[in-house]
Amino acid sequence: MNKTAKLDIDGHIYELPLIEGTEGEKALDVGRLRAQSGYITLDPAFANTGACQSAISFIDGELGTLRYRGIDIAELCEKSTFMEVSYLLIYGHLPGEEEYTRFKEKVHHHSLIHEDMKSFFTSYPGHAHPMAILSAMVCSLSVYHPELLQPEQSDEDRDQTITHLLSKVRVLAAFAYKRSVGEAFVYTRPELDYLSNFMHMMFTTPMRPFEPDEVIRKALDVLFILHADHEQNCSTSTVRMVGSSKANLFAALSAGICALWGPLHGGANQAVIEMLESIHASGSGTKRYVDMAKDKGNHFKLMGFGHRVYKKYDPRAAIIKKYCDQVLNHLGIDNPILEIAKELEEAALTDDYFIERQLYPNVDFYSGIIYRALKIPTNMFTVMFALGRLPGWIAHWKELVEDPGMKIARPRQIYTGSREQQYLPIDER
Ligand code: ACO
């Protein structure tokens, strides 16, 4: 028999179905509560609200666990690649050899964007933030693919849409960078893998080809794997929200990119490095910044610290920290910023304020140090996050639109404005 919970409102008993996930997460299904009782649930910022049931990734915030389709991220980082993880997230299983080859071929095949789009980039001022360009370009790309915009798609068309975007967003990101430094656009090469091609499009110039480096490729692969999905975070929820209106994937991803831009979300990786650099430049040590973050009269927060779901060390940050050391050693870089980051972490983790609130470094705390070592400019850091998160956004969109029970997302509210009043003409106000 299906379990229910009983809710007593003024002596009226309402039965709410109980839902349990495969990892034992429990929920009350309140979908019919308003129809039965006139009450809605109120949960600002959705801190306690499940927006959907999803089989893509699982987080245990208390244990500090993250799994994609059941596989622990640490194992994926060690044994897999970003391309394979993309397949896993989007299609639900690890690909067989043939499936994987076909997938990679399709992604590579779709790497050209319409030549006309190159002129779009040159219309932006040189200082334009690449997140603004990326979001606009992903949406603009849709006009060149009217065949991929139908609200009801066949499996084949959906696959085409997915592989086009998986391939092209990386090209658009690299072009946005080239525009910002005033260099010529570079195209993919067939012999390079997905991420090496991205680095090649970013860093090859007519005078100097990009030279693949295994340590750097692996570090980037790991970073992208760690960013690939994180269940119902702000940008993914945005993608699902937009997708629920049956807007196309181009529009949904463009909106997701905008949501990611904010400093409380993916924009934190840029904010972290700026914070670490200002600590370094000030020469005043980390304590002053820890004190500022604790001061309720100050808006300053320790960027790269804290998480809505993790109440333990973010498992992604632990892995990135290890790769930070590896990359810097490999490149022979002695970066004082890394030392400041470690010192700041140590200071925060031994401070009662952070201990009581269970605030730990998150995925953004160390990632920027690796990007900086790879000569990726600071304003591209959040673009890097977007490229990593792309397969997760796509997987959630696919899961959503393939759900026969999909409905448009439409939260309710408790209205707190004026009661009904009459319109007053301007000379009577
Ligand atoms: N520095 C100082 N205090 C903090 C921080 C921080 N980074 N993060 C949370 N707190 C404090 C809050 O002030 C609050 O204190 P209070 O209980 O005394 O009022 C308490 O910890 C709880 O924090 P909330 O803001 O309620 O937590 P919420 O879940 O809403 O926010 C968030 C999570 C947005 C990540 C927050 O921790 C934050 O702003 N961190 C800095 C920005 C950041 O690193 N964002 C990236 C997150 S990861 C990602 O999106 C990819």
Side-chain angles (χ1 to χ4, degrees), residues 17-18 36 88 102 118 161 208 225 242 253 280 326 328 378:
L18 291 180
Q36 290 170 344
L88 171 71
R102 245 194 344 266
K118 284 160 79 176
T161 314
R208 194 172 47 84
I225 290 173
V242 174
L253 292 180
H280 182 55
Q326 261 181 36
L328 264 54
T378 313

Side-chain angles (χ1 to χ4, degrees), residues 223 227 268-274 276-277 320 324 328 335 337 363-378 381-382:
L223 271 176
H227 284 86
N269 59 11
Q270 175 172 342
V272 169
I273 209 87
E274 286 165 355
L276 294 174
E277 281 173 346
I320 295 175
C324 238
L328 264 54
N335 188 349
I337 298 294
V363 68
D364 292 318
F365 194 65
Y366 285 105
S367 59
I369 296 174
I370 300 188
Y371 294 142
R372 173 57 53 84
L374 305 190
K375 299 199 166 50
I376 290 166
T378 313
F381 288 6
T382 314

Side-chain angles (χ1 to χ4, degrees), residues 54 56-61 64-68 73 89 224-237 240 260 265 306-317 362-364 385 388-393 395-396:
S54 175
I56 300 170
S57 61
F58 169 70
I59 304 174
D60 185 326
T65 308
L66 171 60
R67 297 188 203 125
Y68 299 157
I73 46 149
L89 287 168
F224 274 37
I225 290 173
L226 293 174
H227 284 86
D229 193 44
H230 214 231
E231 48 121 302
Q232 308 307 320
N233 58 86
C234 177
S235 55
T236 303
S237 299
R240 289 189 87 120
L260 187 76
H265 192 14
H307 197 274
R308 173 63 61 78
V309 181
Y310 290 121
K311 300 303 160 204
K312 263 261 169 83
Y313 208 104
D314 182 332
R316 302 167 299 173
N362 60 46
V363 68
D364 292 318
F385 192 151
R389 185 54 54 86
L390 190 57
W393 288 334
H396 281 270

